[in-house]
Amino acid sequence: PSIRPKSITDMTKPDRTGPDRPRYPTFPPIIMSMELEPLRVLLDSILGRLCVVEGKVGVPSPARVPYTGQTFASAASPASADGEDEDEAHPALTAYDEHVNRVVTPLAETCDVVGLGPIGPSLKDAWAGIRTVVLMGTKCKKPSGEPSAAIAPHLKPVQEAITKIRTVRLDRKFDWHIKAVMEMLAVCSWVVMSPPSGPTPTSFVKEAKGSSEFWSNKIRKEFKAKDDDNSKANIKFCDQLRDLIADLAKYCKEYHLSGLGWNPRGIDVKDYDPEEAASPVAAPKPAAPAAPKPAGGGIGGVMAELAKKRTVDGASAATGLKKVTREQQTWRKEYKKDGSGPPVPSPAPAKVATPAKMAVKKKAPPVLEYQNRGHKWAVENQTKESAGGQPLEVQVTDPKQQVYLYRCEGVTVKVTGKVKNVVLDECSRVGVVFETAISAVEIVNCKSVQVQSTGTVPTFSIDKTDGCLLYLTKESAEKCSFVTSKSSEMNVSWEDENGEVKEAPIPEQFQHRLVNGSVTSEVSDLYH
């Protein structure tokens, strides 16, 4: 008789007539485990995604699922889920402390070495304030409506630290340092960012890199050719400022991918006691040894759970469920509105949109005073109402004095006497008239400003300004130079030899070419 070759099924069948063992050897368990490994990975991924969905809709997830996602509770260990280990720090909080110790503390120490006064301690205070918000997210469930409205009251320490840095008065040589730090501090608003109403925290943090490096690169250019300790400290300051932004973006991507993480099994935000989060930033605890996995975990645990759902007669958990036909699906056009289908759910009440801001900006009081430190006239927060519709007078008595205008709007400032330099910072619709400036006139972050010199001025520096009109005398027109960057709508008016007033635009568009291995630039034909 012919012999039929044995198939895999035949080889694994037990011998019904012989001893209670297989006729041919079965496959070793390790081979079966390797074959089931893709299935185990797939099931773990599906369970993890289900935990995220359950967390977002507020359904408690089984604490035994080892998944780390946006919702904090789904990543909790069994002990923390049962309330047995409430004092143990959350992984997101521990990672934040490591971030502070890794980049924020070294930057604060470098600020002290460079000589930036209270800026270093204020940076620590700002990050400590953000830590209280991260801790609140691990203890509270997500509030209804915009989370930024519930977070804003807890950001007061952060705002106070930023205000202290903004109002610090240091030597003129630290202006670029202060501006670089202020541009970096915009990342503190990542805790109130949540798509789709706003960008993700990661992308929002990365946006601050360019504006901060604009000023830190100027510091690099000044100190890169020097080899003394002070120059090395300034270069280190620039590197640490860049590393802080990159490290914070990495942290947000890992623990707060789509906004600040919340605990769906936590308490309401209104019941949260902020004093519990007022402790200083602690050093991260050493990692505990990994606990052995329970015997019922992995693919065996999943199969055991499915087996529990099966009844004696073989019915599964899905047995007996009715099929929803096309006529019963309310979103299809086949749905019947005569009552045979399910009732249409009533629309939820519209939520009132709340602007995603850290807090309502308080209008600072107007200032017009002379400050002995720095020999500076400070003209700040002046408006048409505070000036009474009249020009503001600044009487300069010493050529070493400088005039600094900050956040003024709709006013005219008249400077009498020879001045060292004039600075316009974040001003809008402001006019300045002065006689002679020894050093330069700087215009930064302004809109629609006009500057007139009745004497001479050697240089105008215009940066990130939209709308700027300069009036020069015949003497200034022959000697004055203009340095511009990231600005538009710039014009200069001067008096020629015949006494006629002429006006011309300052070029914004250039043509660049590679000539003999170097880049050459020419003004665009639009200005010829």
Side-chain angles (χ1 to χ4, degrees):
S2 60
I3 301 176
R4 181 176 60 87
K6 297 292 189 298
S7 63
I8 294 178
T9 306
D10 296 330
M11 295 172 67
T12 57
K13 286 182 179 179
D15 190 356
R16 302 301 180 185
T17 60
D20 190 15
R21 57 184 177 87
R23 180 183 303 175
Y24 294 95
T26 58
F27 292 106
I30 187 171
I31 298 179
M32 298 295 295
S33 177
M34 293 174 60
E35 292 178 351
L36 292 177
E37 180 65 19
L39 177 61
R40 186 192 66 80
V41 174
L42 176 61
L43 289 176
D44 285 347
S45 175
I46 294 174
L47 289 175
R49 294 175 182 270
L50 288 175
C51 286
V52 174
V53 175
E54 291 175 348
K56 289 183 178 180
V57 300
V59 177
S61 303
R64 56 182 175 78
V65 179
Y67 175 76
T68 302
Q70 173 61 25
T71 304
F72 286 146
S74 62
S77 62
S80 61
D82 297 335
E84 298 175 0
D85 195 6
E86 295 292 340
D87 296 332
E88 186 177 355
H90 190 277
L93 197 62
T94 303
Y96 183 83
D97 293 342
E98 294 175 352
H99 157 74
V100 172
N101 295 330
R102 184 167 52 247
V103 292
V104 179
T105 302
L107 176 61
E109 295 174 353
T110 304
C111 290
D112 296 338
V113 175
V114 173
L116 296 181
I119 291 183
S122 298
L123 285 175
K124 291 184 178 180
D125 294 342
W127 259 254
I130 296 177
R131 185 184 188 275
T132 62
V133 179
V134 177
L135 178 58
M136 179 183 68
T138 64
K139 303 291 185 181
C140 304
K141 59 185 177 183
K142 186 175 182 180
S144 58
E146 284 289 342
S148 58
I151 297 174
H154 300 276
L155 291 174
K156 187 176 180 181
V158 182
Q159 296 167 349
E160 292 175 351
I162 295 176
T163 302
K164 187 180 297 184
I165 296 176
R166 181 185 293 114
T167 56
V168 67
R169 300 302 178 187
L170 300 177
D171 192 271
R172 178 70 178 170
K173 64 181 180 180
F174 294 121
D175 283 357
W176 290 344
H177 297 73
I178 298 176
K179 291 178 180 179
V181 172
M182 288 304 302
E183 293 290 350
M184 180 275 297
L185 286 176
V187 303
C188 295
S189 300
W190 71 265
V191 292
V192 297
M193 297 299 161
S194 59
S197 59
T200 62
T202 305
S203 60
F204 178 79
V205 170
K206 290 181 178 180
E207 288 175 359
K209 181 180 179 181
S211 55
S212 179
E213 285 192 341
F214 175 81
W215 298 105
S216 61
N217 286 340
K218 292 187 176 183
I219 303 173
R220 294 178 187 273
K221 185 177 180 181
E222 181 179 355
F223 293 98
K224 67 178 182 180
K226 302 177 183 179
D227 197 27
D228 56 292
D229 294 339
N230 181 56
S231 301
K232 293 180 180 179
N234 281 274
I235 297 297
K236 186 178 180 181
F237 166 81
C238 299
D239 294 338
Q240 291 175 341
L241 205 64
R242 177 197 59 200
D243 295 342
L244 187 149
I245 298 176
D247 196 79
L248 181 60
K250 182 180 178 181
Y251 166 76
C252 292
K253 183 177 181 180
E254 185 172 358
Y255 293 97
H256 309 277
L257 184 59
S258 58
L260 180 67
W262 300 91
N263 187 347
R265 295 195 292 271
I267 62 175
D268 291 334
V269 176
K270 60 182 179 180
D271 299 331
Y272 176 69
D273 185 6
E275 294 182 358
E276 298 178 0
S279 58
V281 178
K285 298 180 180 179
K293 293 185 177 180
I299 188 65
V302 175
M303 294 302 180
E305 287 294 324
L306 295 177
K308 291 179 182 179
K309 304 296 183 179
R310 186 173 299 277
T311 60
V312 179
D313 56 355
S316 65
T319 303
L321 296 180
K322 296 182 180 179
K323 180 178 177 59
V324 180
T325 61
R326 296 174 65 91
E327 292 79 9
Q328 295 175 327
Q329 297 175 358
T330 58
W331 56 277
R332 292 186 179 275
K333 63 181 181 179
E334 293 88 353
Y335 173 67
K336 298 179 181 180
K337 298 183 180 181
D338 54 359
S340 59
V344 181
S346 59
K351 297 181 180 179
V352 179
T354 305
K357 296 182 180 179
M358 292 178 60
V360 179
K361 289 185 178 180
K362 294 182 179 180
K363 197 171 184 180
V367 177
L368 176 57
E369 62 181 7
Y370 176 71
Q371 300 174 352
N372 290 324
R373 184 178 181 181
H375 305 286
K376 178 168 59 178
W377 279 92
V379 185
E380 301 178 357
N381 306 307
Q382 294 286 350
T383 61
K384 187 176 181 180
E385 291 75 16
S386 63
Q390 299 296 326
L392 300 174
E393 299 283 346
V394 175
Q395 184 69 38
V396 178
T397 58
D398 189 344
K400 295 182 180 179
Q401 298 176 1
Q402 58 179 333
V403 179
Y404 179 73
L405 283 73
Y406 177 70
R407 284 193 174 178
C408 297
E409 183 177 358
V411 297
T412 301
V413 180
K414 184 177 181 181
V415 182
T416 306
K418 184 180 291 186
V419 65
K420 179 182 177 182
N421 67 322
V422 180
V423 180
L424 285 76
D425 189 2
E426 295 188 31
C427 295
S428 176
R429 295 182 289 109
V430 170
V432 179
V433 181
F434 66 94
E435 296 177 3
T436 298
I438 300 174
S439 177
V441 175
E442 299 182 23
I443 305 172
V444 183
N445 289 325
C446 295
K447 294 182 179 180
S448 303
V449 296
Q450 299 183 16
V451 181
Q452 179 179 0
S453 171
T454 59
T456 59
V457 56
T459 303
F460 281 92
S461 176
I462 308 172
D463 179 33
K464 291 193 288 189
T465 296
D466 297 326
C468 177
L469 180 56
L470 310 177
Y471 295 93
L472 305 178
T473 61
K474 180 180 178 181
E475 293 79 7
S476 293
E478 297 174 353
K479 304 177 182 179
C480 186
S481 62
F482 309 94
V483 180
T484 64
S485 63
K486 295 185 179 181
S487 300
S488 61
E489 302 177 23
M490 301 173 291
N491 294 275
V492 57
S493 178
W494 74 97
E495 184 180 351
D496 63 3
E497 298 177 353
N498 300 326
E500 297 182 0
V501 177
K502 293 187 177 181
E503 184 174 336
I506 298 177
E508 306 170 25
Q509 189 180 75
F510 300 88
Q511 294 177 348
H512 309 283
R513 294 186 177 88
L514 286 173
V515 179
N516 297 328
S518 61
V519 179
T520 61
S521 303
E522 298 178 355
V523 177
S524 174
D525 297 337
L526 297 175
Y527 299 95
H528 295 313

